[in-house]
Amino acid sequence: MDEEYDVVVLGTGLTECILSGLLSVDGKKVLHMDRNDYYGGDSASLNLTQLYRKFRPDGSPPSELGRDRDYAIDLIPKFIIASGELTKILVHTDVTRYLEFKQIAGSYVYRDGRISKVPSTEIEAVRSPLMGLFEKRRAKKFFEFLQSWKDEDPATHQGINLDTDSMKTIYEKFGLEPGTQDFIGHAMALYLDDDYKTKPAREAYERIILYTSSMARYGKSPYIYPLYGLGELPQAFARLSAIYGGTYMLDKHIDEIVTDADGKFVGVRSGTETVKAKQVIGDPSYFGAGHDTEGGKVRVVEEGKVIRAICILKHPIPGTDDADSCQIIIPQNQVNRRNDIYVAMVSSTHNVCAKDVYVAIVSTIVETKNPEQEIAPGLALLGPIYDKFVSVTSLYTPTSTGESDNVFVTRSYDATSHFETVVEDVHAVYKRATGKDLVLKKREAEGES
Amino acid sequence: MSKQFQFKLVLLGESAVGKSSLVLRFVKDQFDDYRESTIGAAFLTQTVTLDDGTSVKFEIWDTAGQERYKSLAPMYYRNANCAVVVYDITQTASLEKAKSWIRELQRQADPSIVIALCGNKADLAARRQVTQEEAQKYAEEEGLMWGETSAKTGEGVADIFTAIAKKLPLTAPPSARAGGARAGPAKTGVDLNKQANTQGGQNEPCNC
Ligand SMILES: Cc1cc2nc3c(=O)[nH]c(=O)nc-3n(C[C@H](O)[C@H](O)[C@H](O)COP(=O)(O)OP(=O)(O)OC[C@H]3O[C@@H](n4cnc5c(N)ncnc54)[C@H](O)[C@@H]3O)c2cc1C
Ligand SMILES: Nc1nc2c(ncn2[C@@H]2O[C@H](COP(=O)(O)OP(=O)(O)O)[C@@H](O)[C@H]2O)c(=O)[nH]1
Ligand SMILES: [Mg+2]
């Protein structure tokens, strides 16, 4: 550790590993460390022993669940949007060669006490109970309007201005019912609450287009998922970094972020060794998250809490036609909440658990003093739950951009069901740390012979 | 038409035992005394043609140095069909490290994985610390293939890869050959690299 690095990266969560990979490809000398002896930080996937060790320090997994190595249980539930930003980074960095993806079999939405599939084919749409016949016609007009929109062609605008008119205005223009609005805003645009309705409609428009193009891409749902769990993603980007010269150290305790008299970053101390670098990038847990201060400086603040319940099931989720994987969205309006409740389920099809086991994670943003009560509507959809691991996690965000002291802190993994905000953070931290916009360059193919 | 197989091969072993050098010798028939880790080249392929015309293509994964500080990702050896676990015959400790990698593979990898234990730097026999008998005995006990190599002179290198190639199609389950889900290189899932031909809106964009 006597060399000097351009960047020290702390924590091997997905955000940090993507950044580490991109910076190494840029030619930066990167040292990447993690206090755990496994990759992934908060976005890791754990085997059974690791899972029980984390949640039940004095319990071990029941033998009937099968072999340890068949399990890769995600700590945060997210899926990859097929045409989304993470897919672009995966393709442009070529880390897809280390990974294999499968579709998520279906997306469901909760309405009036039961779940229905978000239609992915015309036949499904015609049969869907989500809308009545006349409402289907109105919705069709609405979607045709969005699909044919061209910024440069006012004839396609029908009097709407996406940058000034709100989504509410557009819903009203097409006469869409509140239930349809819930469906569009929450199951397609993937908003967690209803604040979007009164804002300019462009963002919602873009999200709906992203959803429909992702749905069209592979057919069953707009989501894909890496075999062996989400924990494969940080590992793949770490490998990219290592191939471009990045140095990796797991199981490394970090004792101090060392700064000079002006508070500028100097290095990172582990035990008696201090490794020097120009910059440090890391997840909030390395910068005082959960503690009062870090070296007298408050670098991160809590901006909310998420509850996540990892549920092990011995059966597929009722009402999903025995889907091997799915997402279920419970729009907030349906259960008198401010934030949606999500269910994300995967199974042995994705090589994350033994055969005939299903792993569902129910999550939402905490609104009350009794968060477990808040996810009850989600748990109720699952049928008998074999075992359940509940966590309430604080979401942290940095207090400063890092440009003044070269300390760049990433954000916690939020409650959204996908990785779009993770990639936004990657872009933001990359820009703050390098002063440049992230431009994805196609990597030279590694020597094929 | 002769048969073709493709397998994922991983290299394991302590840092500096010559893993990358072995790959370089096998794939490019080169050796470099002063080679630091080669940036950007941790993913190579080489095909071995057997006497009966069967060709075996190895997709070779090098560690990219991640073994140095206990940081090799499980993804690396996941789905490997074969592993070459390397030690340096001039370093007793490197054989111990090789044994711990073999235990890790036996615990985590697919049971059908073919493992070859490889004593490298055979050209430095004058400084030998690990005897052939000792290593061979251990390999026999564990049911591993074994051989000594020199990436520097090339001695034994082709032999060990050819021996693996001969052993592979006979022991790997049929799914691994045809490209089942666990078959390493042969992928069956969705292909992200294929540009979405539906994005331009040829398809009915939304069916609601
Ligand atoms: C600065 C810049 C950044 C871009 N970033 C992205 C991005 O993040 N995601 C995205 O989908 N498109 C990006 N593009 C658009 C991209 O260049 C192509 O226009 C788009 O991928 C369509 O490619 P094509 O089929 O026309 O193939 P071509 O444009 O002929 O490209 C051939 C191959 O090179 C790749 N490629 C071309 N330009 C770039 C580039 N600048 N960076 C990385 N790979 C490139 C393409 O993806 C494709 O695989 C970017 C363009 C520019 C100028
Ligand atoms: N004499 C000799 N040196 C070797 C041999 N193989 C590798 N080396 C040297 O050992 C060092 C480490 O090799 P490298 O391939 O980088 O090891 P790795 O860390 O296991 O990938 C380099 O200096 C090589 O030149 C060999 O067969 N004989
Ligand atoms: Mg090497």
Side-chain angles (χ1 to χ4, degrees):
Chain A
M1 300 231 303
D2 44 3
E3 295 154 275
E4 184 167 343
Y5 291 85
D6 292 320
V7 188
V8 171
V9 182
L10 302 178
T12 53
L14 180 59
T15 312
E16 293 75 36
C17 286
I18 296 176
L19 282 163
S20 185
L22 293 169
L23 291 169
S24 296
V25 173
D26 281 352
K28 294 263 177 22
K29 197 169 148 79
V30 175
L31 172 64
H32 201 152
M33 299 192 278
D34 195 307
R35 67 167 78 82
N36 296 316
D37 63 2
Y38 54 83
Y39 279 90
D42 288 340
S43 60
S45 305
L46 304 183
N47 65 30
L48 275 187
T49 305
Q50 291 170 323
L51 181 75
Y52 275 76
R53 198 196 300 150
K54 185 176 173 74
F55 286 93
R56 314 253 170 86
D58 30 51
S60 55
S63 56
E64 69 163 310
L65 285 179
R67 291 183 306 188
D68 210 28
R69 65 175 159 95
D70 288 336
Y71 284 81
I73 299 195
D74 300 331
L75 293 176
I76 56 146
K78 283 184 186 290
F79 293 147
I80 301 172
I81 298 190
S83 299
E85 292 299 317
L86 181 58
T87 305
K88 285 183 193 163
I89 292 193
L90 286 163
V91 169
H92 279 260
T93 56
D94 209 17
V95 302
T96 45
R97 70 194 313 163
Y98 309 133
L99 302 163
E100 194 174 341
F101 297 89
K102 282 215 170 140
Q103 286 192 66
I104 292 297
S107 179
Y108 293 78
V109 61
Y110 178 92
R111 174 96 165 261
D112 304 329
R114 53 185 292 241
I115 59 172
S116 305
K117 189 163 189 295
V118 178
S120 61
T121 65
E122 194 148 6
I123 297 166
E124 281 181 8
V126 171
R127 291 201 191 128
S128 173
L130 284 166
M131 294 172 209
L133 189 61
F134 294 106
E135 184 69 356
K136 273 182 186 147
R137 281 191 200 151
R138 289 188 286 269
K140 193 166 193 301
K141 288 223 159 60
F142 166 84
F143 287 116
E144 279 167 1
F145 162 69
L146 294 188
Q147 291 294 345
S148 60
W149 178 277
K150 288 196 185 66
D151 276 341
E152 66 283 1
D153 181 4
T156 65
H157 298 183
Q158 301 190 25
I160 293 287
N161 182 336
L162 286 182
D163 299 307
T164 53
D165 289 320
S166 69
M167 208 53 200
K168 185 164 176 287
T169 306
I170 301 182
Y171 285 146
E172 280 164 6
K173 175 181 166 66
F174 288 91
L176 297 181
E177 294 164 359
T180 309
Q181 297 180 18
D182 276 353
F183 166 75
I184 293 167
H186 294 261
M188 296 181 73
L190 303 173
Y191 283 107
L192 293 168
D193 58 38
D194 263 353
D195 293 352
Y196 77 96
K197 280 192 184 174
T198 51
K199 294 183 182 154
R202 181 170 297 274
E203 190 190 82
Y205 158 76
E206 282 168 356
R207 283 170 171 237
I208 295 166
I209 297 295
L210 173 63
Y211 188 93
T212 52
S213 70
S214 298
M215 186 73 116
R217 191 149 177 191
Y218 301 114
K220 290 199 241 170
S221 81
Y223 299 113
I224 54 173
Y225 183 89
L227 288 190
Y228 303 100
L230 298 178
E232 296 294 279
L233 298 171
Q235 292 180 45
F237 284 100
R239 180 167 168 81
L240 173 70
S241 170
I243 287 170
Y244 279 84
T247 302
Y248 275 78
M249 291 184 186
L250 297 187
D251 206 5
K252 194 85 187 166
H253 193 78
I254 308 300
D255 293 296
E256 190 188 349
I257 308 296
V258 183
T259 51
D260 66 13
D262 302 331
K264 277 197 192 332
F265 175 71
V266 172
V268 169
R269 183 172 66 79
S270 171
T272 55
E273 302 170 292
T274 297
V275 57
K276 290 195 176 146
K278 300 189 183 79
Q279 299 180 317
V280 63
I281 295 174
D283 78 51
S285 70
Y286 290 87
F287 299 95
H291 309 283
D292 289 343
T293 59
E294 152 61 32
K297 193 166 188 314
V298 177
R299 297 193 191 275
V300 294
V301 288
E302 188 189 298
E303 53 172 7
K305 288 185 195 305
V306 179
I307 178 166
R308 298 178 175 123
I310 300 171
C311 301
I312 297 182
L313 313 177
K314 292 292 199 80
H315 54 82
I317 295 181
T320 61
D321 283 329
D322 293 349
D324 60 35
S325 52
C326 68
Q327 174 185 66
I328 305 173
I329 294 173
I330 307 180
Q332 27 89 285
N333 273 338
Q334 294 284 323
V335 285
N336 295 317
R337 292 176 49 77
R338 226 189 95 67
N339 294 283
D340 293 358
I341 301 169
Y342 283 125
V343 179
M345 190 271 278
V346 282
S347 66
S348 57
T349 305
H350 305 88
N351 298 9
V352 297
C353 57
K355 205 168 169 298
D356 300 324
V357 173
Y358 298 78
V359 182
I361 306 185
V362 183
S363 62
T364 191
I365 294 175
V366 172
E367 298 173 8
T368 70
K369 290 230 152 29
N370 189 355
E372 222 172 321
Q373 190 60 41
E374 296 182 45
I375 54 169
L379 296 174
L381 297 174
L382 304 182
I385 295 169
Y386 177 82
D387 206 347
K388 188 172 76 182
F389 304 88
V390 182
S391 62
V392 176
T393 318
S394 298
L395 302 184
Y396 293 100
T397 190
T399 52
S400 93
T401 62
E403 279 135 317
S404 60
D405 58 3
N406 289 321
V407 175
F408 302 92
V409 185
T410 60
R411 299 164 59 96
S412 306
Y413 298 99
D414 64 20
T416 59
S417 60
H418 48 70
F419 288 100
E420 300 302 286
T421 51
V422 171
V423 177
E424 271 171 29
D425 197 30
V426 167
H427 278 273
V429 174
Y430 184 93
K431 170 121 202 208
R432 270 143 53 196
T434 65
K436 293 179 301 191
D437 283 319
L438 172 56
V439 177
L440 296 165
K441 288 192 212 70
K442 186 86 179 163
R443 204 156 59 102
E444 294 284 308
E446 284 175 40
E448 301 280 351
S449 54
Chain B
M1 209 192 98
S2 57
K3 283 179 278 181
Q4 283 203 335
F5 300 104
Q6 182 165 330
F7 294 101
K8 173 174 172 179
L9 182 149
V10 295
L11 284 125
L12 289 166
E14 195 174 31
S15 203
V17 296
K19 299 181 293 299
S20 304
S21 301
L22 276 172
V23 177
L24 191 66
R25 173 62 75 190
F26 176 53
V27 174
K28 300 206 168 135
D29 201 19
Q30 292 170 0
F31 179 78
D32 185 347
D33 265 310
Y34 305 101
R35 224 177 50 82
E36 276 277 308
S37 56
T38 25
I39 283 179
F43 191 91
L44 295 148
T45 60
Q46 177 66 298
T47 303
V48 172
T49 307
L50 301 177
D51 296 339
D52 65 357
T54 305
S55 73
V56 174
K57 183 174 178 184
F58 288 114
E59 181 185 281
I60 304 168
W61 293 44
D62 193 6
T63 59
Q66 282 177 297
E67 79 281 16
R68 205 171 315 153
Y69 305 103
K70 303 181 285 185
S71 305
L72 205 57
M75 184 199 74
Y76 174 74
Y77 46 87
R78 173 161 289 148
N79 287 334
N81 304 102
C82 38
V84 177
V85 184
V86 186
Y87 64 95
D88 173 349
I89 64 156
T90 71
Q91 305 285 337
T92 311
S94 72
L95 180 63
E96 290 314 309
K97 189 66 210 172
K99 288 180 181 176
S100 79
W101 275 117
I102 287 162
R103 282 192 294 275
E104 176 78 0
L105 287 172
Q106 287 168 341
R107 202 168 58 234
Q108 301 287 352
D110 194 282
S112 67
I113 189 169
V114 171
I115 304 175
L117 179 64
C118 175
N120 190 41
K121 307 200 186 179
D123 57 289
L124 301 178
R127 282 158 43 195
R128 176 187 289 280
Q129 286 186 358
V130 181
T131 65
Q132 297 198 342
E133 294 71 32
E134 177 190 3
Q136 201 168 5
K137 180 163 168 289
Y138 166 76
E140 268 167 28
E141 283 164 11
E142 298 293 329
L144 317 171
M145 306 172 71
W146 172 82
E148 284 193 352
T149 55
S150 166
K152 186 166 183 168
T153 66
E155 175 201 334
V157 176
D159 302 334
I160 204 149
F161 286 96
T162 306
I164 294 169
K166 282 186 181 151
K167 190 152 181 195
L168 267 167
L170 301 175
T171 54
S175 67
R177 290 177 240 165
R182 304 182 67 92
K187 298 190 175 185
T188 56
V190 295
D191 182 4
L192 269 58
N193 294 294
K194 218 173 0 197
Q195 278 306 308
N197 53 5
T198 44
Q199 265 173 322
Q202 295 121 290
N203 247 27
E204 171 80 349
C206 180
N207 308 296
C208 303

